[in-house]
């Protein structure tokens, strides 16, 4: 496997994504591989973008939010990207905290119902 360029198959393997996912990221222009005939190759820039895309997805960001963040980086540079990232992260942290609170409530309810059911057994 080349250090500087990955084939389509190598890219899928390295990032543990399906070919469909990789094609979709290309279709929505999150990634733009080099093309040689029918083959696609991903250089360091695309590999770095894929790392950021997957990290963003892990944190629950929408693909459109990730796209906007990547565009800022390309057009305005690192400081603007970092400021945009902080705003996105702050919003996402609030969202995740709300989801966690809802999940905690649901788990408490389920535990209580489970315990009540167990207590009613002979």
């Amino acid at each position: 496997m080349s250090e500087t360029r990955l084939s389509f198959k190598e890219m899928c393997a390295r990032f543990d994504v399906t070919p469909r996912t990789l094609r979709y990221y290309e279709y929505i222009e999150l990634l733009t591989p080099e093309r040689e005939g029918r083959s696609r190759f991903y250089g360091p820039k695309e590999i770095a973008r894929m790392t950021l895309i997957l990290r963003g997805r892990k944190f629950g960001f929408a693909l459109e939010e990730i796209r906007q963040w990547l565009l800022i980086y390309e057009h305005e540079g690192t400081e603007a990207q970092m400021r945009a990232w902080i705003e996105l992260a702050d919003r996402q942290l609030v969202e995740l905290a709300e989801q966690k609170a809802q999940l905690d409530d649901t788990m408490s309810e389920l535990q209580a119902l489970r315990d009540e059911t167990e207590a009613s057994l002979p």
Side-chain angles (χ1 to χ4, degrees):
M1 190 158 73
S2 169
E3 288 298 309
T4 56
R5 288 188 352 155
L6 299 178
S7 69
F8 185 86
K9 186 177 179 181
E10 291 169 332
M11 191 76 162
C12 289
R14 177 161 178 178
F15 290 100
D16 194 27
V17 296
T18 65
R20 182 178 181 186
T21 296
L22 195 52
R23 279 191 215 98
Y24 182 69
Y25 289 169
E26 290 174 27
Y27 175 74
I28 63 172
E29 299 177 346
L30 287 176
L31 298 172
T32 51
E34 300 169 34
R35 294 187 183 271
E36 292 177 11
R38 293 184 52 127
S39 299
R40 298 178 183 106
F41 293 96
Y42 303 83
K45 177 183 172 193
E46 298 308 308
I47 293 167
R49 286 175 67 93
M50 186 66 167
T51 300
L52 293 173
I53 291 164
L54 295 180
R55 187 173 293 158
R57 295 300 290 151
K58 176 184 175 186
F59 294 143
F61 292 109
L63 288 174
E64 187 55 35
E65 291 173 316
I66 295 168
R67 174 206 306 288
Q68 293 305 315
W69 184 55
L70 292 171
L71 283 172
I72 289 167
Y73 177 72
E74 287 178 7
H75 298 292
E76 298 179 34
T78 309
E79 185 177 333
Q81 181 192 32
M82 288 189 288
R83 291 186 190 288
W85 171 248
I86 290 168
E87 287 180 30
L88 283 172
D90 287 346
R91 283 199 309 262
Q92 191 63 15
L93 285 166
V94 169
E95 176 68 26
L96 290 171
E98 290 171 3
Q99 290 176 9
K100 183 180 184 290
Q102 291 172 357
L103 189 56
D104 287 344
D105 288 348
T106 301
M107 289 176 68
S108 292
E109 277 184 55
L110 180 57
Q111 185 68 52
L113 184 57
R114 181 236 173 259
D115 293 346
E116 283 176 33
T117 303
E118 184 180 45
S120 70
L121 287 173

